[in-house]
Amino acid sequence: MLVVKNVSKIYTNNKKAVDNLDLEIQKGEIIGFIGPNGAGKTTTIRMITGMIAPTEGTIEINGKDIARESVEAKKNFTFVPDHPTIFDAIKGIDYLNFIADMYEVDLKQRKEQIEKYTRAFHIYDALGQTINSYSHGMKQKLLISGALLPNPNLFILDEPMVGLDPHSAKILKDIMREHCERGGTVFFSSHVLEVVENLCHRVVIIHRGRPIACDTLENIKKSSSATLEEIFLEMTKDE
Amino acid sequence: MNKFISLTKIQVLDFFSKYTQKLNVKNKYLGILVMFVPVLLVLPAAQLVLELYHTFLMVGFPELTITYMYIANTILIVFSSIPLIISIFFYAKDLRLIATLPIREDTIVFSKLASIYIYLLVISCFFLGNSIVLYGTIGGLKVVSLLVGILALLISPLVPMIIATIVLLPFMSVIGSGKRRNLMVVVGNLILIGAIIFIQMISSNIQMRPEELNNLLLQQDGLLMVIGRRFPPSIWLTKMIEGSMLHGLLFIAFNFVLLWILRGLAKTLYNRALMKFNQEGAPAVRGKLYYKSKSKGFQMVRRHINIILGNPIFFLNTVLTIFVPILMFVIVLFTGEVGMDISKSEALASYRLFIYTAVITTPAILGSLSATVITREGKAFWETKVLPVSAKDNIRYRIYSTLVIKLMGSLILGILVLFVIPMDLTSILIAMAFCIAATLFFSSIDMIINIERPFLNWTNPTAAVKNNLNILLSLLIRAIVGFLGYGLVKLLGGWQVSSIILILCGLLFVFYIITRYVIYEMYVEKFIDIAP
Ligand SMILES: Nc1ncnc2c1ncn2[C@@H]1O[C@H](COP(=O)(O)OP(=O)(O)OP(=O)(O)O)[C@@H](O)[C@H]1O
Ligand SMILES: [Mg+2]
């Protein structure tokens, strides 16, 4: 589904944020992407989603290169960023219709999906209001609903749990599981290790721009009884 | 006092850091050159002032240049400061933080004004600054006049800025308390600006009785009194520069009295207007749920237009840059100085086409909308980048949104001006062709500026659309193209006006094709690489 090959990113200030990253995600997997602050998670996700171009390396989504066939590649995924900053002088429903048009979702599916997700997240009644009157969490849930609405093959989220109340977080986790049972793929970064531990088939740990682990939880734990937290702290310890 | 200085320092830094930050010019010399852009823009202003100077010199009163320019400058500054004040007091993102700090209200108000002051001072340099320097240097150095003049220049933005503040803050709290707040802010301010222009028109139209005028003119400073009567401080300033201590004191005292009044009012203004406005929630406009599908292109263009409509500062700025020059044109036309002759005189027939073409092309020339189309999105810029829309289309729809707005402006102007200057169909078509070519060219070339310098992190909306280098660069391009066009017109002196305009139109179109090629071939990569 997603193949990241030898990808590096050097920002214009010469900061090497991602260093030679390799990654391969299969269809139907839920992948957790963890690492300390500033490790390069957001940068990696920005490259995968085509927001910025990698300095080196290639990224393929469903066999399409994000740089060369960007439109075809982008039809395969949707994305929820770490901060729900969107153009907010429009109404929630305007935003969802906008997204649906971009992914060419027909009217019937559009209506069903919008109702399904916005009702699940309890923002259905707010859809007629302008987004700048939403709270942080409401915006986040609007973005998630928008991203789920085209029923994407690959669902990418950057720190989706930040700002969600326990109910909404639970709903999101259920939706992610359900999405992968239907054959979808989920890739998300998080600092909440319990969520990663409970949800993910595989975990990628990144530290100072380099991947230091990429495996199933069992293999990472190497049959020790340590929690993911203990392993994470040990692996990303600064000498 | 310390708090004031550090708060001011932050405000000023924030206001101007955008000018130099992310210059992103690899070539060192080019970088230095870019810093001198404003200087290049001063030259045309200097030319204008020089002409005015010579006119007044012929009547024997060169100092009237200063009187005249001071009045013009004051009006210009009132206009410029309106969107700035609204933006920095009511739509700046930092007020939420500042409001929690242990600082006195007048300190906040003054430190916010300080950053505007510096910007206005730069504007003052263009016309008032030029006239003071020219007056003080032409025909021998007048050291005292020059020094006093520079002092006057330094305090000149205060009066219009403070007046605008004292009027605007309460005004905003009144219009900003309703339901459709953003709309009210835009409409309210347009009405306010209209009112200022109207008062100007009336005051310059007041005819004096002939014997009164004669009496005035017979006095020693007759002409000065006639010109300066609209705004007495201009008389004091002129005399102060000529060396009158008394008038100097009067002028400076006038400024200090206004400062002192503002200081006295600061606390009330802050609590009643600023806090009230900022505590009002965002408008929760309710609408029906609907499910409707539209084409991608339509949605994208609408998004970019909505970004302007959804932000009062962007909206106000767009309307002002497109229409205010025309309002000025109308004032000049109706205040009798040029008169209605243009539409009638046969000798001017050929110029009518020039004038008409120029008027309907102003939106293309003055609105640098494409130069800020990415900037305006700010932190929401990432949105369209992850959508399945190619980078080329993504750029294209941005240019389209500029075209839609500018051509709409041109259309409205074209129809309005027809009432003043009647034109035949052929001329209208020629003017239209020119206007379209110019709009296409400027809307595209501005896009290059914005891709080169995206500048997405702004704290107040004026910084996004006005006070940044992109606008200056885009004005510079216009100055250069205008200069070339002017040269060509001179060169083709004997030709028919319509032929000249068609040739210019053809050239602009060729420029457009080249620009288009450059954007879609060379700037797509750069666009993709803009880090949100
Ligand atoms: N636009 C940028 N320009 C320059 N450097 C950047 C930019 N964005 C990020 N960086 C740098 O790249 C590195 C990785 O940042 P990134 O945002 O990818 O981290 P992260 O893993 O998402 O961290 P967090 O957990 O805090 O979200 C950091 O050192 C950061 O300073
Ligand atoms: Mg991050």
Side-chain angles (χ1 to χ4, degrees), chain B residues 248-313:
Chain B
L249 282 179
L250 213 54
F251 182 76
I252 293 173
F254 175 62
N255 279 280
F256 271 98
V257 167
L258 274 180
L259 265 182
W260 181 75
I261 292 177
L262 179 62
R263 203 184 146 182
L265 287 177
K267 188 167 177 165
T268 323
L269 288 178
Y270 181 86
N271 288 328
R272 293 271 172 78
L274 264 176
M275 290 321 271
K276 187 167 164 237
F277 189 94
N278 285 293
Q279 276 159 13
E280 296 271 345
V285 182
R286 271 184 170 279
K288 282 225 165 66
L289 296 195
Y290 66 92
Y291 303 96
K292 232 188 248 156
S293 81
K294 289 266 165 31
S295 75
K296 281 190 191 182
F298 177 86
Q299 283 282 29
M300 293 288 270
V301 172
R302 183 165 74 176
R303 172 188 151 90
H304 297 304
I305 293 179
N306 270 340
I307 288 177
I308 294 182
L309 300 183
N311 181 316
I313 298 299

Side-chain angles (χ1 to χ4, degrees), chain B residues 71-144:
Chain B
I71 297 179
N73 187 57
T74 306
I75 299 173
L76 185 68
I77 295 221
V78 169
F79 283 141
S80 324
S81 53
I82 287 176
L84 278 171
I85 290 173
I86 298 176
S87 162
I88 208 160
F89 280 115
F90 298 98
Y91 291 94
K93 293 172 189 158
D94 59 354
L95 200 75
R96 263 185 225 142
L97 170 68
I98 293 181
T100 64
L101 301 176
I103 313 174
R104 277 176 35 184
E105 292 86 350
D106 53 348
T107 309
I108 296 180
V109 171
F110 276 99
S111 72
K112 286 219 158 244
L113 284 177
S115 56
I116 303 185
Y117 163 80
I118 296 178
Y119 183 70
L120 295 176
L121 184 62
V122 175
I123 296 182
S124 298
C125 286
F126 277 70
F127 296 108
L128 187 61
N130 262 321
S131 42
I132 284 168
V133 170
L134 286 177
Y135 176 77
T137 50
I138 292 183
L141 196 65
K142 308 184 199 63
V143 181
V144 178

Side-chain angles (χ1 to χ4, degrees), chain B residues 513-529:
Chain B
I513 300 290
I514 298 171
T515 313
R516 201 187 133 92
Y517 177 82
V518 172
I519 291 181
Y520 294 136
E521 291 305 316
M522 293 153 70
Y523 276 88
V524 172
E525 291 297 312
K526 266 221 160 99
F527 178 83
I528 293 174
D529 219 20

Side-chain angles (χ1 to χ4, degrees), chain B residues 26-201:
Chain B
K26 301 266 155 49
N27 188 322
K28 206 165 121 199
Y29 297 100
L30 203 64
I32 295 172
L33 199 69
V34 161
M35 298 299 294
F36 279 95
V37 169
V39 179
L40 290 173
L41 288 170
V42 161
L43 292 179
Q47 179 64 27
L48 188 88
V49 173
L50 197 62
E51 267 167 35
L52 193 70
Y53 181 84
H54 284 302
T55 316
F56 281 121
L57 191 64
M58 273 195 293
V59 239
F61 301 104
E63 69 275 7
L64 289 181
T65 318
I66 294 177
T67 325
Y68 209 84
M69 279 302 169
Y70 178 69
I71 297 179
N73 187 57
T74 306
I75 299 173
L76 185 68
I77 295 221
V78 169
F79 283 141
S80 324
S81 53
I82 287 176
L84 278 171
I85 290 173
I86 298 176
S87 162
I88 208 160
F89 280 115
F90 298 98
Y91 291 94
K93 293 172 189 158
D94 59 354
L95 200 75
R96 263 185 225 142
L97 170 68
I98 293 181
T100 64
L101 301 176
I103 313 174
R104 277 176 35 184
E105 292 86 350
D106 53 348
T107 309
I108 296 180
V109 171
F110 276 99
S111 72
K112 286 219 158 244
L113 284 177
S115 56
I116 303 185
Y117 163 80
I118 296 178
Y119 183 70
L120 295 176
L121 184 62
V122 175
I123 296 182
S124 298
C125 286
F126 277 70
F127 296 108
L128 187 61
N130 262 321
S131 42
I132 284 168
V133 170
L134 286 177
Y135 176 77
T137 50
I138 292 183
L141 196 65
K142 308 184 199 63
V143 181
V144 178
S145 295
L146 203 57
L147 288 180
V148 175
I150 289 171
L151 176 71
L153 177 69
L154 287 177
I155 51 182
S156 71
L158 290 180
V159 172
M161 181 179 83
I162 294 173
I163 292 177
T165 311
I166 294 178
V167 173
L168 266 178
L169 295 195
F171 184 68
M172 283 292 287
S173 78
V174 174
I175 60 175
S177 52
K179 215 170 123 200
R180 299 208 147 233
R181 183 163 89 165
N182 285 353
L183 188 71
M184 285 299 288
V185 169
V186 173
V187 173
N189 279 288
L190 287 179
I191 292 174
L192 184 68
I193 287 168
I196 298 174
I197 293 178
F198 188 70
I199 293 170
Q200 262 315 112
M201 273 167 75

